[in-house]
Amino acid sequence: MGQGLAAGHSKNAAFQSALAALQSGRLIDAENFLKRVLRTDGRHAGALNLLAVLLLRLDRFAEAEEYLRRALQEQPKSETTLYNYGIALKALHRPAEALRCFTDALAINAAVPETWNNRGTVLNDLERYQEAIADFDKAIGLRPGYAEAHCNKAKTYAALGQFDEALSHGRKALELKPDLAEAWYGVGHAYLHLRLHDEALAAFDRALALKRSFAEAWLGRADAAAESWLYEEALAAYDQALALKPALAEAWLGRGNMCTELKRYDEAFAAYDKALAINPDLAGEAWVRRGNVLAALKQYGEAFAAYDKALAIKPDLAEAWFCRGNAFSGLNRPVEALAAYEKALSIKPNFAAAYISRGNNLYNLARNNEALSSLDRAIKLAPKAAQAHFNRGLVLLTLGEYENAWEEYEWRKKLA
């Protein structure tokens, strides 16, 4: 009996020492004390839960999941354990299991806004968007000043393609919490899709000023710079994103695009191969980009084969039709090029680059008024597209509108 009391005292002393170490920020000491408790009593629910929370703080999610599973066996109706288990499973990209944990936690206590918010995020990951929005609304109803819930709601509206709503909720999050980097990122993402590139760049810069290691914000900044024809700047931002997160497939794809624009073709091929190896779902986009490099090298037969592979994967990929049009233009086949651009625009009506190329081909076919209309549409969508202004000036010159043509060339010089 004396040994049992001594063991119990030692266990309790170790647990108290763990608490003290945790409160003073000595996480490694706390971990050692808690493991000492568990060596004595492997079913100690307090130690299992506390060690799991510590491991979550250290981003050691797989280890945390093991201890939470054991803790749940001891306390199946613990709301806190279920919540933390959901956090671990979400971080391990197991959203269906995380959803069950958060749902079970809410069945025990439906008055915790963090649980509604986190359940909303896994519903978003499962593409159950309307249910996600309902959960975020529950969280906000319980805590009206919950900036993170507004931020997550903005993300869901962006996933639905409702970028005005996304922008509204992102701004609301920033009113509540101006230093929330994720909200600045969300606002930048919405601006980017609304084609407000200057605003997007400014928002991504705010996110990065708050969180320099935010790889997705670097990716967003790169995309905004690329759409503003700032290719060197975009390439540098893609490289920053990849330095932080080498498995970010979209950044490899973007890097390849910029290397293509800068005529660094070997690097472009390597980047597209890397994107495809990381995320096979990007196969359509990767084949399009490879085709663009081949077209730039005037290897048109191989380029068309690449575009065909992209369209076999995604028949409604507007970029593939657009790039087929560019290849036909390179072969001086304007009628076939025009048909490809029309197909791209039927899929993606706000495709500024396709309107520019369509305008060029209409000009080559001596359909000048139609060319002017197409370039006007391009400039409305992308006011800073220097090539659109230059080409519009060329059409106006052909039509004898010399003063207006000169104004377009002046615009082009300002933007170049």
Side-chain angles (χ1 to χ4, degrees), residues 5 69 106 191 230 271-272 290 332:
L5 286 171
R69 182 163 23 88
L106 287 166
Y191 278 135
L230 303 169
Y272 296 139
R290 288 180 67 85
N332 197 27

Side-chain angles (χ1 to χ4, degrees), residues 31-271:
E31 181 180 353
N32 290 333
F33 282 124
L34 290 166
K35 286 182 175 177
R36 185 186 302 174
V37 173
L38 292 169
R39 281 194 294 270
T40 304
D41 178 5
R43 298 177 62 183
H44 192 296
L48 288 167
N49 276 295
L50 201 57
L51 182 53
V53 169
L54 184 153
L55 293 167
L56 289 174
R57 285 175 60 181
L58 295 171
D59 293 344
R60 291 159 59 183
F61 301 112
E63 294 173 75
E65 190 266 345
E66 176 192 344
Y67 289 107
L68 286 161
R69 182 163 23 88
R70 287 167 58 183
L72 208 55
Q73 290 170 354
E74 303 305 319
Q75 296 178 321
K77 296 296 184 181
S78 169
E79 166 213 341
T80 303
T81 304
L82 285 163
Y83 173 82
N84 287 328
Y85 201 4
I87 295 293
L89 291 166
K90 185 174 76 162
L92 291 168
H93 307 292
R94 292 159 60 181
E97 295 169 82
L99 178 63
R100 285 196 293 273
C101 286
F102 291 131
T103 300
D104 289 346
L106 287 166
I108 297 165
N109 184 357
V112 182
E114 288 84 359
T115 312
W116 288 108
N117 180 53
N118 279 285
R119 195 176 78 156
T121 63
V122 295
L123 286 165
N124 183 79
D125 291 342
L126 292 165
E127 299 182 5
R128 293 164 60 175
Y129 299 125
Q130 296 302 331
E131 293 171 83
I133 289 169
D135 274 15
F136 298 135
D137 285 340
K138 284 276 193 179
I140 293 164
L142 288 164
R143 184 186 299 161
Y146 198 171
E148 288 80 2
H150 282 286
C151 181
N152 288 328
K153 191 174 178 182
K155 180 180 177 182
T156 300
Y157 275 117
L160 288 166
Q162 297 178 29
F163 296 106
D164 287 321
E165 285 286 344
L167 186 59
S168 173
H169 287 283
R171 286 172 170 165
K172 180 63 177 179
L174 290 170
E175 285 176 22
L176 295 164
K177 195 171 182 179
D179 61 348
L180 186 58
E182 288 75 10
W184 281 110
Y185 166 76
V187 165
H189 184 69
Y191 278 135
L192 179 60
H193 283 273
L194 292 168
R195 307 195 66 80
L196 298 168
H197 297 114
D198 289 345
E199 291 86 345
L201 285 167
F204 291 129
D205 284 343
R206 289 293 296 273
L208 290 165
L210 291 162
K211 189 177 177 183
R212 201 70 182 166
S213 61
F214 197 165
E216 287 76 10
W218 282 110
L219 173 61
R221 194 190 195 291
D223 289 342
E227 290 193 18
S228 300
W229 286 271
L230 303 169
Y231 299 136
E232 293 279 7
E233 193 173 322
L235 181 61
Y238 286 127
D239 285 342
Q240 286 278 9
L242 290 166
L244 292 162
K245 192 178 281 191
L248 196 56
E250 293 81 1
W252 284 109
L253 195 64
R255 188 180 202 283
N257 297 345
M258 294 306 95
C259 287
T260 301
E261 294 291 346
L262 296 167
K263 298 182 171 51
R264 292 159 58 172
Y265 299 127
D266 288 343
E267 290 180 70
F269 278 128

Side-chain angles (χ1 to χ4, degrees), residues 8 17 29 32 85 105 127 184 192 200 242 263 273 318 356 362-363 367 371-372:
S17 296
D29 288 343
N32 290 333
Y85 201 4
E127 299 182 5
W184 281 110
L192 179 60
L242 290 166
K263 298 182 171 51
D273 288 344
I356 295 173
L362 288 165
Y363 174 75
R367 292 161 61 178
L372 203 59

